Amino acid sequence: MKAVLASFVLLGSVTFGAAPAYAGAPAVADEPATSVQASAVDNSTEASGEAGQLFLASDEQYVQTFGASKATQQGLTYEAVADSDSAADDTDKAIAAADSGLGESDATADDDAASSHWSVVKFVAHDKDGRYIPTRQGNRSFGWVHFSGPHNIHSEKVIKAAVNEHPERGSTKTRKVYGAVLYDTLGIILAKVKVIAQYHWETSDHKYKLADNSDKIGVITAFCQGVNKCPDALNRV
């Protein structure tokens, strides 16, 4: 009953930072059992623990704070992976599922190919391995323009929170998958975010290329699992 009440008052106030000091949204189908292969992250900010507060953290940080059992109970799976040359992952399927309800305008971005502003960097994040992950202005095909409106992610804090971990299962050498969760003081997860980043100087379809071959395209898309639009509360944390 306490968990239900905490969820009902989730819009009362929000706080960005680490999880409460104590340890205790549907998951992508066919994910493995939760496991953590990375070292503990630094929780630099503690919440007061008052009812109604919300918190935002990477999947990795949530598991390390509440434990694998609690994460599994909440439908969250996290498994860090090393670099791989294998292309056999579910990244493209995840993107297709997330963007399936956006309409035809998001699938017809040919006119945007000639735009000069798509490569402008809006902000930058670094993952736990030190990878440079920018979020670019983009267009209807990828980047900030692609996901901010359609998926209702308007805060750069959401992207930075997700990238603040080691890449998750489904990542390859040039495509990285990250995740974040919005949760209350009881550890109840209210939204699960996935961020897909192209860790290469050109997009996988070779349509968009950067002048510097050492640069990275960065965030391709971001979305909340199981819903077309993320809750408004996510942007207020």
Side-chain angles (χ1 to χ4, degrees), residues 132-136 196-200 216-221:
Y132 165 76
I133 307 293
T135 295
R136 299 179 185 275
I196 312 298
Q198 181 73 358
Y199 195 65
H200 198 263
K216 309 301 178 187
I217 292 290
V219 176
I220 296 294
T221 191

Side-chain angles (χ1 to χ4, degrees), residues 98-164:
D99 294 345
S100 61
L102 298 185
E104 295 181 359
S105 62
D106 291 280
T108 56
D110 290 342
D111 292 340
D112 292 335
S115 299
S116 60
H117 71 279
W118 69 265
S119 63
V120 173
V121 175
K122 290 184 66 67
F123 55 88
V124 171
H126 292 84
D127 71 12
K128 285 300 181 180
D129 293 318
R131 293 183 186 85
Y132 165 76
I133 307 293
T135 295
R136 299 179 185 275
Q137 177 72 12
N139 51 37
R140 290 176 295 177
S141 292
F142 73 96
W144 183 260
V145 172
H146 171 71
F147 68 79
S148 61
H151 293 314
N152 196 33
I153 297 178
H154 304 291
S155 172
E156 65 182 67
K157 291 180 180 179
V158 177
I159 306 302
K160 290 180 176 179
V163 173
N164 185 34

Side-chain angles (χ1 to χ4, degrees), residues 152-207:
N152 196 33
I153 297 178
H154 304 291
S155 172
E156 65 182 67
K157 291 180 180 179
V158 177
I159 306 302
K160 290 180 176 179
V163 173
N164 185 34
E165 66 175 8
H166 296 83
E168 299 189 358
R169 178 181 180 272
S171 298
T172 66
K173 190 171 183 178
T174 59
R175 184 73 61 91
K176 305 301 178 184
V177 180
Y178 303 99
V181 289
L182 177 70
Y183 61 95
D184 64 15
T185 55
L186 298 179
I188 296 175
I189 296 177
L190 307 168
K192 294 197 288 292
V193 179
K194 284 299 175 190
V195 172
I196 312 298
Q198 181 73 358
Y199 195 65
H200 198 263
W201 63 275
E202 64 176 344
T203 54
S204 58
D205 60 4
H206 310 294
K207 186 174 181 180

Side-chain angles (χ1 to χ4, degrees), residues 12-73:
S13 65
V14 291
T15 301
F16 174 68
Y22 58 85
V28 176
D30 300 324
E31 287 287 337
T34 302
S35 66
V36 177
Q37 301 175 2
S39 58
V41 295
D42 177 29
N43 291 340
S44 57
T45 305
E46 282 193 9
S48 65
E50 296 178 1
Q53 286 187 315
L54 298 182
F55 307 89
L56 182 64
S58 69
D59 290 350
E60 180 180 22
Q61 184 176 352
Y62 180 92
V63 172
Q64 291 170 342
T65 300
F66 291 99
S69 179
K70 176 78 169 183
T72 301
Q73 181 185 26

